[in-house]
């Protein structure tokens, strides 16, 4: 949140993932593939609770820095169909932005019209928001420096500083065609799939390491930063 | 929450108010009459934060009692016009009820189409939910025993055990006609205004003292309880 404050960029939506709060529970109760039996329901409730808890921590951190952040719980107004957002009414999010405040959202367990419930990833949500709100830039803060040409744990892996939409398509296709997951880019492939239509729409996407001080702030301000810049 | 658990009633929506979390901030920043100037915006954000904090405490209390409670943030999907809810999409709330879980909602600061923002009282929200969801019963837990024939602080005030819709109308009219607030029923008059259409629709409304152990639980179970029962 310090990064956001120091960037002095005013108009943005912030989305956080589930981290160590949501993911272990979602996995334990197998929520990602939808309803199987009633024993998952307490897991649904517990995961929602965990996400509210994490959101509160992040919100408090923002408010302590005088950022006018306003939590908007995604699962209160977004339902999916087969894990995908269909319609989304962003009237409230737009109103908050119009008032020069920052909507704070998160990956969440949502109701699904086919599967009863499922996980709405922060990546899917962010990509959709960027497109609907016609964002100038979408920044994905991860725990690696950006998109690498092979698994970033591999010491010979090289950071790709610039990618075109064709590069992204190639990555996604290589992954889809391989028998077993080749894990070209660590956990990056899911993000790559989601950002394809975002880049297609002409929105700049930057993947960077959110753990390194200054990077989010610089990227928000439009400055050059260590990471992967993806453009059409 | 213990009252709800011990009632063993399964299908319900729980709504809480702002209490000492939301009300002082909403008053400090004069949020109830909408936007006047930008200095209120931090108050808007702080009040939303306070409501999330209170909601977390109540949610945690419910989950600790094995109630499958799921928070649904009202301000994420409800906008008002001149302080009143117009359309409301309860698809998500219905889905949660269909899964035998308890939606947990609260009075909140919401975006308003005319005033930019305003307070959505728990009373307005609860009344609207009861009508839309065709509830069997609506229970208002207050800090007094029910509706009295004069200010309950007055030692001669008598608890009205039963009221008809005509009695409610009379109360509201007396209040409206008096030059100064006669405060017939303490802070009850706002609630009486909201419940009029609820009672009109044939839904039983019970006003009781939520601080007295056992009363909420008994009312939920349909048992007789000290309080005011209002029926058409």
């Amino acid at each position: 949140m310090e990064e956001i404050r120091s960037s002095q960029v005013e108009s943005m939506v912030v989305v956080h993932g589930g981290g160590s709060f949501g993911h272990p529970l979602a996995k334990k109760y197998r929520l990602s593939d939808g309803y199987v039996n009633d024993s998952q329901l307490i897991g649904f409730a517990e995961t929602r609770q965990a996400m509210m808890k994490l959101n509160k921590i992040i919100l408090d951190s923002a408010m302590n820095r005088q950022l006018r952040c306003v939590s908007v719980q995604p699962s209160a107004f977004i339902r999916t169909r087969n894990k995908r957002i269909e319609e989304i009414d962003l009237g409230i999010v737009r109103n908050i932005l119009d008032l020069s405040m920052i909507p704070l959202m998160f990956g969440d367990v949502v109701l699904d019209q086919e599967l009863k419930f499922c996980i709405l990833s922060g990546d899917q949500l962010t990509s959709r928001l960027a497109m609907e709100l016609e964002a100038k830039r979408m920044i994905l803060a991860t725990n690696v420096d950006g998109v690498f040409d092979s698994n970033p744990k591999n010491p010979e892996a090289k950071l790709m500083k610039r990618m075109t939409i064709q590069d992204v398509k190639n990555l996604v296709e290589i992954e889809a065609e391989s028998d077993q997951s080749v894990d070209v880019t660590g956990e990056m492939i899911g993000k790559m799939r989601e950002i394809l239509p975002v880049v297609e729409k002409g929105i700049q996407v930057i993947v960077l390491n959110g753990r390194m001080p200054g990077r989010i702030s610089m990227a928000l301000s439009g400055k050059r930063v260590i990471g992967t810049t993806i453009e059409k």
Side-chain angles (χ1 to χ4, degrees), chain A:
Chain A
M1 283 297 164
E2 186 54 35
E3 299 276 321
I4 289 170
R5 199 198 52 72
S6 66
S7 78
Q8 303 201 330
V9 173
E10 287 194 348
S11 187
M12 75 177 88
V13 178
V14 177
V15 178
H16 65 79
S20 60
F21 288 76
H23 290 303
L25 286 166
K27 199 174 169 187
K28 177 180 170 191
Y29 292 101
R30 299 185 184 190
L31 301 183
S32 67
D33 293 324
Y35 176 87
V36 179
N37 61 54
D38 278 358
S39 71
Q40 294 170 296
L41 295 177
I42 189 68
F44 176 96
E46 283 178 12
T47 309
R48 286 276 283 251
Q49 179 188 25
M51 288 312 301
M52 298 294 274
K53 187 175 174 185
L54 175 57
N55 183 252
K56 182 184 181 303
I57 294 170
I58 293 172
L59 177 67
D60 289 350
S61 159
M63 296 292 287
N64 288 342
R65 287 171 175 79
Q66 320 300 328
L67 288 168
R68 290 191 302 228
C69 255
V70 177
S71 285
V72 183
Q73 184 191 26
S75 50
F77 75 105
I78 301 172
R79 277 189 291 186
T80 51
R81 184 176 298 276
N82 276 322
K83 306 187 189 179
R84 304 302 301 175
I85 300 170
E86 290 188 311
E87 278 175 67
I88 184 168
D89 177 358
L90 292 176
I92 286 172
V93 172
R94 285 179 206 274
N95 285 164
I96 293 170
L97 288 168
D98 288 343
L99 285 166
S100 305
M101 297 194 280
I102 301 172
L104 176 62
M105 303 177 73
F106 45 92
D108 207 353
V109 198
V110 300
L111 281 303
D112 187 283
Q113 314 253 33
E114 300 288 336
L115 310 168
K116 292 194 182 177
F117 51 74
C118 73
I119 306 294
L120 169 62
S121 72
D123 293 331
Q124 184 188 160
L125 177 60
T126 310
S127 299
R128 185 64 182 261
L129 289 169
M131 289 187 285
E132 297 272 345
L133 298 170
E134 301 186 340
K136 185 175 168 188
R137 189 176 289 131
M138 171 171 150
I139 297 166
L140 293 174
T142 69
N143 59 1
V144 290
D145 280 349
V147 187
F148 286 79
D149 61 357
S150 58
N151 191 317
K153 284 172 189 158
N154 177 343
E156 282 172 30
K158 270 185 70 178
L159 176 68
M160 295 188 279
K161 292 185 181 171
R162 300 209 157 265
M163 288 176 80
T164 63
I165 192 159
Q166 193 54 51
D167 299 331
V168 177
K169 280 181 185 163
N170 292 346
L171 259 189
V172 171
E173 271 169 28
I174 291 170
E175 177 73 13
E177 282 168 9
S178 66
D179 275 350
Q180 66 231 54
S181 171
V182 290
D183 197 19
V184 188
T185 51
E187 289 158 1
M188 203 58 79
I189 209 75
K191 293 188 196 299
M192 293 297 110
R193 275 197 203 97
E194 294 293 351
I195 68 165
L196 263 180
V198 180
V199 179
E200 185 72 65
K201 218 169 176 294
I203 297 165
Q204 184 189 58
V205 177
I206 300 173
V207 183
L208 52 72
N209 193 336
R211 292 183 175 179
M212 303 303 281
R215 292 194 189 167
I216 293 175
S217 173
M218 283 171 71
L220 280 169
S221 311
K223 292 179 191 141
R224 277 197 143 198
V225 62
I226 296 171
T228 302
T229 301
I230 308 165
E231 280 168 321
K232 194 173 179 183

